[in-house]
Amino acid sequence: MSESRESMEFDVVIVGAGPAGLAAAIRLKQLSPDISVCVLEKGAEVGAHILSGAVIDPVGLNALIPGWKERGAPVDTPVTDDRFYFLGPAGRLRLPNFLMPPLMSNHGNYIVSLGLLCRWLAQQAEALGVEIYPGFAAADLEFGPNGEVTGVITGDLGVARDGHHKPNYTPGMVLRGKYVLIAEGARGSLAKEIIARFGLAQGHAPQTYGIGLKELWELPPEKHHPGLVMHSMGWPLDNHTGGGSFFYHYGERLAAIGFVIHLDYRNPYLSPFDEFQRFKTHPFIRPMLEGGRRIAYGARAITEGGAQAVPKLVFPGGALIGCAAGFVNVPRIKGSHNAILTGMMAAEAAFEALSQGRAGDLLENYEAAYRQSSVYRDLKRVRNVKPLWSHYGTVLGVPLGAFDMWVNQLFGFSPFGTLKSKGPDYAQLMRARDAKPILYPKPDGVVSFDKLSSVFLSGTRHDEDEPIHLKLKDSALPIRENLPVYAEPAQRYCPAGVFEVVTAGDGEPRFVINAANCVHCKTCDIKDPAQNIVWTPPEGGDGPAYGNM
Ligand SMILES: Cc1cc2nc3c(=O)[nH]c(=O)nc-3n(C[C@H](O)[C@H](O)[C@H](O)COP(=O)(O)OP(=O)(O)OC[C@H]3O[C@@H](n4cnc5c(N)ncnc54)[C@H](O)[C@@H]3O)c2cc1C
Ligand code: SF4
C-alpha cells in the first residue's frame, strides 16, 4: 500500500502537537540542530484540538525553556487564591486550606490556556527548525521487515462518504522516521493500536479515564478575580459517581469553568453534559456567571489510571509520550507538566540512540529515565487516590484519599499499598432496568445550555461527504444489544449529540451517527459497553476549532 504513496524521511517523526509532542521536538533540536524532526497535527492549526483546564505546574516549562517568561510565553496569571468546596444541593462547605494535603496546593502554579501555550511552543519549535504539519492526521502505521514501526501514514484527502475519490483526492503520505514518538494525548488511535500490537499494557492495570467538559466565559469585571482557582466535589453527582468541577479566573475577564466525570460511572442514564449544565445552576455558582457571556465550549477525555496504568513506554521504533501513555496526576488534575517532561525524556533517549547510529529499536533509556524521574514520583505518591474514590464513593473515598496523601507527604509511603482500579470503564455500566432514570432540567439559556448550541461554540466542522470516522464493528449491535440492555448510553455520554436513536415511520428504532458534530473527545471509544465504536481520525483539519481552550 505504501509503495504508491509519496514519502518523506526524518530522523524523528512525532504524532501530535500537544505539550508532549512539542516538548520532544524542541528538546531534540536543542540537543542537535542537525536532527530532522517533523510533527503532525490533526487540528487545522496547532491548538485547535487542545482542551485543558488549565492550571499548570511550571516545572515542565522551566526544564524545557528556562527563559519562557522573557520570551513571552502566554503564562501570565499566577494562582493567588486556591479554594476547595463540597457542594450539597443548596449549600456548600469550604475545606480550609490547612486541611488540604500540600500535594494538592496550587501555590506557584499558573492559569493558562493550554491551546495558546501550545501555539507558542510551536513557534519556539519552528524557530529551531522543526517542521510542523497541522491539518494532517496520522491515520496508520508503517512497519518494517522485523515488525518495527518505521513511520506513519497520513489520511487520504478527498474520499467521499461512499468511498469514491472526489476530484481533490490526494492519497496520504508516508512519513518515515528512525524513531516515531506517539504524542496523541488521551486514548490516541495509533497509541491504542501500538499498545495492543506490542502488548505494552500486559502486566499493567487497565487505563481508566474521565470526560472533561469545559466552557470559556467572559465575566463582568466586578465578578472577575484573576488568579482565583476553585474546585468542587459533590452535587450534582451522587456518592457513587466520581468527578468534580473546576473554575479558573485568568487573563482579561476570562474564566474557564468545567466539569470532569470519571468514566467508571455506573448509571447508563447519566449524561456528563447535563450534569455539567446542572452544576452551573447551583445557587453558589449561578451568581458568579450571571451577567457574563459564554464564548467557547468543548470536551476531551483525560487519563486517570495513574502510575498503575502507565503501560510499557517503548516499542520497536518508537515510544509513547504524554497522555498517550497517561501521566495525569488525578487529584491535582494536572498532566501537562508531565507531558512536557516525558516528551523531553524520550527526546533525550532518541538523541542518544541516533548519535550511536541506531534506528528502529527500543529506546530503553527513556523507560529507565521515567522510572527515576519526578514524573514517576509524582504519580506514585497519589496512586491510590482515584481507586479509593472509585471503590468507596465520594463521602468515604475522598477523606480516605486525603488521608493517603497526607501519609505519603509526611512519611513517604501509602498505608494502602497499591490499590487496583475497578477495571476498564466500559465494563462498569449497570443494566438500564436496574438503574434510575435521571431527569435533567431544561437549559435556561442564561447559565445552562443545550448540546447543539454548545457544539456550535466549539467551531466543529467535518466535511459531510467524507467516510464516517466513527466506525462500528457491528452496525446492528447498538439497537440489538445496547438499546435493550443499557438504553443505548451513547445518546447521553457523547458531549456533542453525535449518537441518536430515532424511530422512523415503520416504528423501528435506528442508530444515527451525526459524525460532523464530533469534538474528538474519544469518550465513545472508551465507554461503549461492547467496545463496538472505534474512533478513527477524520480528514486532517476537521474537528473542533478551539481558539484558546
Ligand atoms: C478538562 C481537562 C482539564 C484539565 N486540566 C488540567 C490542568 O488544569 N492542568 C494540567 O496540567 N493538566 C490538565 N489536564 C490534562 C492535560 O490537558 C493533559 O495532561 C495534556 O494536555 C497532555 O498533553 P499531550 O501532549 O500528551 O496530549 P494533548 O494535549 O491531548 O495533545 C495531543 C495532540 O495530538 C493531536 N493528535 C492526536 N491524535 C493525532 C493523530 N493521529 N494525528 C495527528 N495529530 C493527532 C491532537 O489533536 C492534539 O493536538 C486537563 C485535561 C482535561 C481534559
Ligand atoms: S462521537 Fe465520540 S469522540 Fe466524538 S464527541 Fe461524541 S463521544 Fe466524543
Side-chain angles (χ1 to χ4, degrees):
M1 168 170 126
S2 60
E3 285 81 57
S4 60
R5 296 175 184 274
E6 282 186 40
S7 63
M8 286 167 81
E9 315 269 336
F10 296 89
D11 289 319
V12 180
V13 171
I14 299 173
V15 180
L22 292 168
I26 290 170
R27 189 75 192 123
L28 279 161
K29 283 292 192 182
Q30 287 170 339
L31 291 166
S32 167
D34 298 332
I35 293 179
S36 57
V37 184
C38 100
V39 181
L40 290 177
E41 169 52 50
K42 68 180 165 64
E45 54 174 327
V46 172
H49 290 183
I50 297 288
L51 183 143
S52 190
V55 171
I56 61 159
D57 182 335
V59 63
L61 210 46
N62 290 342
L64 182 67
I65 304 178
W68 55 265
K69 225 173 226 168
E70 297 72 42
R71 292 206 198 173
V75 179
D76 306 311
T77 310
V79 176
T80 52
D81 192 356
D82 193 4
R83 303 173 180 205
F84 188 91
Y85 294 91
F86 269 105
L87 298 187
R92 67 182 188 276
L93 181 72
R94 181 172 172 195
L95 223 68
N97 281 11
F98 71 86
L99 281 183
M100 294 292 289
L103 287 174
M104 297 280 284
S105 166
N106 278 309
H107 181 75
N109 296 335
Y110 291 83
I111 309 171
V112 302
S113 151
L114 194 63
L116 287 187
L117 182 58
C118 286
R119 290 195 174 108
W120 180 83
L121 285 172
Q123 286 165 8
Q124 309 307 305
E126 281 178 329
L128 291 168
V130 174
E131 293 177 45
I132 303 182
Y133 298 116
F136 286 91
D140 242 319
L141 294 158
E142 189 198 58
F143 297 96
N146 301 315
E148 76 280 18
V149 172
T150 51
V152 298
I153 306 168
T154 64
D156 297 340
L157 302 176
V159 180
R161 181 160 286 206
D162 63 8
H164 84 263
H165 293 175
K166 297 191 272 190
N168 64 338
Y169 173 73
T170 320
M173 286 184 70
V174 184
L175 294 146
R176 289 204 181 92
K178 292 177 181 140
Y179 294 100
V180 176
L181 302 182
I182 304 293
E184 295 173 297
R187 196 66 165 199
S189 43
L190 295 185
K192 188 174 156 188
E193 191 183 333
I194 286 171
I195 289 169
R197 187 182 185 106
F198 295 105
L200 303 184
Q202 269 167 29
H204 302 256
Q207 186 55 270
T208 59
Y209 301 85
I211 174 175
L213 304 113
K214 173 177 166 182
E215 292 173 354
L216 200 61
W217 280 68
E218 197 176 64
L219 296 182
E222 69 279 7
K223 294 187 177 179
H224 189 242
H225 309 288
L228 171 64
V229 163
M230 281 172 44
H231 292 104
S232 76
M233 289 181 106
W235 193 87
L237 301 182
D238 66 24
N239 186 40
H240 298 291
T241 308
S245 77
F246 60 89
F247 197 178
Y248 307 148
H249 292 224
Y250 72 107
E252 293 289 325
R253 291 175 51 193
L254 291 176
I257 184 164
F259 210 89
V260 175
I261 294 192
H262 306 323
L263 284 174
D264 58 3
Y265 70 81
R266 301 204 60 215
N267 187 336
Y269 290 110
L270 184 135
S271 159
F273 174 87
D274 293 294
E275 295 293 343
F276 174 36
Q277 297 307 316
R278 186 149 69 159
F279 155 74
K280 288 181 290 167
T281 66
H282 190 279
F284 179 51
I285 304 297
R286 175 189 280 281
M288 299 182 195
L289 294 171
E290 276 170 343
R293 191 170 67 95
R294 187 175 75 139
I295 52 181
Y297 165 82
R300 180 79 174 95
I302 178 168
T303 53
E304 292 188 340
Q308 297 90 315
V310 171
K312 187 169 163 53
L313 298 174
V314 296
F315 52 87
L320 304 172
I321 60 179
C323 280
F327 297 113
V328 172
N329 178 320
V330 182
R332 292 178 79 201
I333 346 176
K334 283 184 188 53
S336 55
H337 62 302
N338 287 341
I340 291 176
L341 292 171
T342 53
M344 290 174 70
M345 284 180 235
E348 282 157 16
F351 165 72
E352 202 179 309
L354 291 167
S355 315
Q356 294 163 358
R358 288 162 43 197
D361 58 2
L362 293 173
L363 294 172
E364 292 285 14
N365 283 359
Y366 165 43
E367 186 97 38
Y370 161 66
R371 301 262 155 221
Q372 299 297 320
S373 70
S374 63
V375 179
Y376 183 67
R377 288 193 295 279
D378 188 29
L379 297 191
K380 196 146 182 275
R381 289 193 300 184
V382 298
R383 67 190 180 281
N384 288 326
V385 177
K386 168 80 192 306
L388 285 167
W389 292 348
S390 297
H391 286 299
Y392 297 103
T394 307
V395 173
L396 186 58
V398 171
L400 282 175
F403 169 70
D404 183 60
M405 280 190 275
W406 268 113
V407 175
N408 248 299
Q409 180 91 37
L410 297 173
F411 306 110
F413 75 97
S414 169
F416 300 100
T418 296
L419 297 174
K420 290 194 171 129
S421 70
K422 288 195 290 191
D425 296 318
Y426 68 81
Q428 305 307 321
L429 282 180
M430 60 168 78
R431 290 166 170 260
R433 66 163 188 243
D434 302 323
K436 203 167 144 210
I438 306 176
L439 266 183
Y440 290 104
K442 275 201 163 43
D444 61 17
V446 179
V447 299
S448 59
F449 304 92
D450 64 14
K451 272 188 191 171
L452 286 187
S453 65
S454 302
V455 175
F456 178 76
L457 286 183
S458 69
T460 298
R461 197 207 67 88
H462 292 82
D463 187 345
E464 293 282 352
D465 188 20
E466 70 174 291
I468 291 181
H469 68 281
L470 300 145
K471 313 278 184 211
L472 298 180
K473 291 182 199 162
D474 172 351
S475 61
L477 186 140
I479 298 300
R480 192 183 66 235
E481 290 175 27
N482 278 359
L483 187 59
V485 181
Y486 301 107
E488 185 43 274
Q491 303 174 83
R492 291 170 293 278
Y493 62 59
C494 172
V498 167
F499 305 104
E500 287 178 292
V501 175
V502 296
T503 309
D506 58 7
E508 291 298 319
R510 286 193 176 77
F511 190 62
V512 175
I513 304 180
N514 307 304
N517 283 0
C518 173
V519 295
H520 296 199
C521 74
K522 315 280 180 79
T523 302
C524 49
D525 197 279
I526 297 164
K527 190 64 180 170
D528 179 62
Q531 288 291 275
N532 186 46
I533 303 176
V534 181
W535 189 96
T536 63
E539 275 199 6
D542 285 0
Y546 299 141
N548 48 352
M549 294 291 262

